[in-house]
Amino acid sequence: MGFKDIINRVKSNLFLQNVAILSSGTIISQLIVIATSPFLSRLYSVEAFGLLSVFSSFAIFFAVLSTGRYELALGLPKENIKASNIFKLILCIGFIVSLLYFVLIFVLKDIIHLQDNTGFLNNKQVYLAPVYIFFGALYSALGYWNQRDKKYTKITLANAIQVIGTSVFSLFFGVINYEGGLILSLILGIIISSLYLLLTDKELLSHLSFFDNKMLKVGKEYKAFPRYMILSDLSLTACQQFIPILFSALYNTTIVGFFSMANRMIRLPNIVITSSVGNVFRNDAIDEIRETGNCIHLYQSTLKKLLIISFPIYLLVFAVSPKLFSLVFGEKWEIAGYFARILSVALFFEFLSAPLNTLFYVFEKQKILMRLQIINALFVFISIFLGYYLDKSYYLSLILYTIVSVLSSLIFLYFTNNLSKNASRKA
């Protein structure tokens, strides 16, 4: 099949078209990340990347609470006015959680003077975490709001603005030798992209002119999302974000810096493709379930596409990452290349399972997902601690973590495959 045939096939397939739209901006954004990373790795120390990773891990973990996971319900109501009430509820929750987080940081850092082995509270920019959390909640809600009407082009542009803005600010602060530039750039990037989505949506702005008790009404109606998904997604986020925190506590921020760079680079295929496939797959699955009662054919087709895309990518990463990291980022980053080789195995299986996990939301099986995520989080923590306990080896911790991650992805695939055959969907 030639390149022209591939383009024609994409044009004739609505699913592939939507995935291509969502992926295109992300691809451009991540190309910029790749292009700027060799400069950033020389402008900033390994420890600076470690501090960025610890900061973002804490912030992203608490950001799960900042929406009540109500953003997952934004696509369910047929009426925009009802969805806008969910959006307003998310803003209120986000503001309250961010404010409480600010107070918590102040108490721990300036009153109790807590000794923090991870280095998070010792970071001069720790008080910016609540700002990042609030705009993270806003950005997430705006993304799901635009998915209601399948405004994939606008979502793509917002993602591009965020990554490009973050990269440009990072370079600027690096050039002027501001060591905390990576964290400040991260925050500025999400603020700019959030404001773009909000200020260009006149319909949404018109609904935000007042707040009323209808927010509480929709909050009660969709209470299953905070009831089950907060704990579930906290477990998932803990698996993803607490790895840098654990490595920082057990080892040091330099090791976290190596992990951060490895994860930052080889996770690009997942960032570019899986979220886009997941968003389109969820919407198409809802349509197919309404028509046929199940989505097994869409599920199998999507899984096949994911396998064809991911296998050559991660096989190449596994083969060349140590030498490639040393060549591109400098000799001091060679250890990150070995980290990338180990992580590539876990990310390959995650690439297959993550987009299809949206079926848990479609079939409203949040309780099952919550239990799976909690079990997964528990075993992830055990695996990392076990590596430290047995040999005080960050390599062993990473290998054991990878084994747990692979098994977890296979279990998720088993459950979502069964869900796709379901003959009915909860209304």
Side-chain angles (χ1 to χ4, degrees):
M1 181 183 292
F3 181 75
K4 187 175 181 180
D5 294 329
I6 294 175
I7 296 298
N8 290 334
R9 184 175 179 180
V10 171
K11 289 181 177 179
S12 62
N13 189 308
L14 185 59
F15 179 87
L16 293 176
Q17 274 187 47
N18 291 331
V19 170
I21 291 172
L22 278 175
S23 299
S24 59
T26 311
I27 290 172
I28 295 171
S29 303
Q30 297 309 315
L31 286 175
I32 292 174
V33 170
I34 294 172
T36 56
S37 291
F39 299 99
L40 296 177
S41 65
R42 290 166 172 83
L43 290 170
Y44 295 93
S45 65
V46 178
E47 186 180 7
F49 280 92
L51 290 173
L52 170 67
S53 184
V54 172
F55 176 91
S56 58
S57 294
F58 271 109
I60 292 172
F61 177 78
F62 283 100
V64 173
L65 301 172
S66 66
T67 63
R69 306 314 284 160
Y70 277 111
E71 73 272 30
L72 299 172
L74 279 169
L76 299 181
K78 292 182 179 180
E79 307 86 4
N80 278 351
I81 187 65
K82 189 174 183 180
S84 70
N85 284 318
I86 299 176
F87 186 91
K88 289 187 286 186
L89 178 63
I90 294 171
L91 288 185
C92 291
I93 296 172
F95 179 78
I96 293 171
V97 169
S98 299
L99 184 61
L100 292 175
Y101 193 35
F102 179 87
V103 173
L104 178 63
I105 292 172
F106 176 74
V107 171
L108 295 178
K109 179 179 174 64
D110 296 318
I111 296 181
I112 299 178
H113 301 289
L114 181 69
Q115 294 298 317
D116 178 19
N117 292 331
T118 69
F120 175 69
L121 290 176
N122 300 327
N123 193 326
K124 295 178 181 179
Q125 297 169 303
V126 65
Y127 281 112
L128 292 176
V131 178
Y132 181 76
I133 287 173
F134 174 76
F135 279 96
L138 175 61
Y139 187 75
S140 178
L142 287 166
Y144 280 93
W145 171 267
N146 280 279
Q147 285 179 35
R148 280 182 54 82
D149 297 321
K150 300 186 178 181
K151 295 179 180 178
Y152 299 126
T153 302
K154 189 173 182 180
I155 297 171
T156 296
L157 184 56
N159 291 337
I161 290 173
Q162 180 182 355
V163 177
I164 293 171
T166 301
S167 299
V168 170
F169 282 120
S170 296
L171 286 172
F172 171 75
F173 290 125
V175 169
I176 65 174
N177 201 29
Y178 179 56
E179 189 70 7
L182 290 174
I183 293 175
L184 184 56
S185 299
L186 178 72
I187 296 169
L188 291 173
I190 199 168
I191 290 175
I192 293 171
S193 55
S194 298
L195 292 178
Y196 160 73
L197 285 175
L198 181 63
L199 298 179
T200 57
D201 197 321
K202 294 181 180 179
E203 180 185 2
L204 180 59
L205 287 173
S206 67
H207 291 311
L208 299 182
S209 57
F210 61 93
F211 295 83
D212 52 38
N213 58 6
K214 292 181 180 179
M215 295 187 303
L216 299 177
K217 185 177 180 180
V218 295
K220 292 179 180 179
E221 181 177 351
Y222 295 102
K223 64 182 180 181
F225 287 93
R227 182 178 180 183
Y228 297 119
M229 296 316 303
I230 286 181
L231 187 55
S232 173
D233 287 350
L234 277 176
S235 302
L236 174 62
T237 306
C239 291
Q240 297 174 339
Q241 303 301 330
F242 269 31
I243 299 171
I245 296 172
L246 285 174
F247 271 98
S248 180
L250 296 175
Y251 302 106
N252 54 65
T253 52
T254 300
I255 296 301
V256 177
F258 289 130
F259 174 86
S260 174
M261 180 62 79
N263 195 50
R264 175 188 176 102
M265 289 295 102
I266 69 165
R267 192 172 281 277
L268 292 178
N270 291 49
I271 295 172
V272 170
I273 299 172
T274 57
S275 60
S276 301
V277 172
N279 290 332
V280 176
F281 172 75
R282 182 185 63 250
N283 291 336
D284 287 359
I286 291 173
D287 292 339
E288 188 166 311
I289 290 166
R290 286 170 178 167
E291 293 178 5
T292 66
N294 64 71
C295 60
I296 181 63
H297 296 299
L298 175 65
Y299 181 93
Q300 292 175 346
S301 174
T302 304
L303 179 59
K304 182 180 178 181
K305 292 182 179 75
L306 290 168
L307 183 61
I308 292 172
I309 294 170
S310 62
F311 184 75
I313 293 175
Y314 283 110
L315 181 62
L316 181 64
V317 169
F318 185 87
V320 305
S321 55
K323 291 184 178 179
L324 188 61
F325 270 69
S326 180
L327 176 65
V328 175
F329 305 116
E331 292 183 3
K332 68 179 180 180
W333 291 99
E334 184 178 3
I335 295 176
Y338 287 102
F339 276 34
R341 171 174 284 176
I342 298 170
L343 287 171
S344 65
V345 179
L347 290 176
F348 165 69
F349 286 94
E350 181 186 306
F351 191 101
L352 300 179
S353 64
L356 303 173
N357 285 344
T358 56
L359 283 185
F360 285 105
Y361 307 127
V362 172
F363 284 96
E364 299 187 32
K365 300 297 182 180
Q366 298 97 326
K367 192 173 183 178
I368 295 175
L369 181 59
M370 177 187 68
R371 291 171 177 171
L372 291 175
Q373 299 288 20
I374 292 172
I375 294 171
N376 181 45
L378 178 62
F379 278 97
V380 163
F381 294 146
I382 290 173
S383 66
I384 295 175
F385 275 111
L386 194 60
Y388 178 81
Y389 177 78
L390 293 176
D391 196 34
K392 289 185 172 56
S393 168
Y394 48 83
Y395 277 119
L396 181 58
S397 290
L398 200 60
I399 290 170
L400 293 175
Y401 158 74
T402 297
I403 293 172
V404 169
S405 297
V406 170
L407 293 174
S408 175
S409 294
L410 291 175
I411 291 171
F412 280 121
L413 285 171
Y414 170 79
F415 274 91
T416 53
N417 179 63
N418 287 340
L419 285 175
S420 70
K421 302 173 185 177
N422 203 324
S424 63
R425 174 177 173 266
K426 186 178 177 180

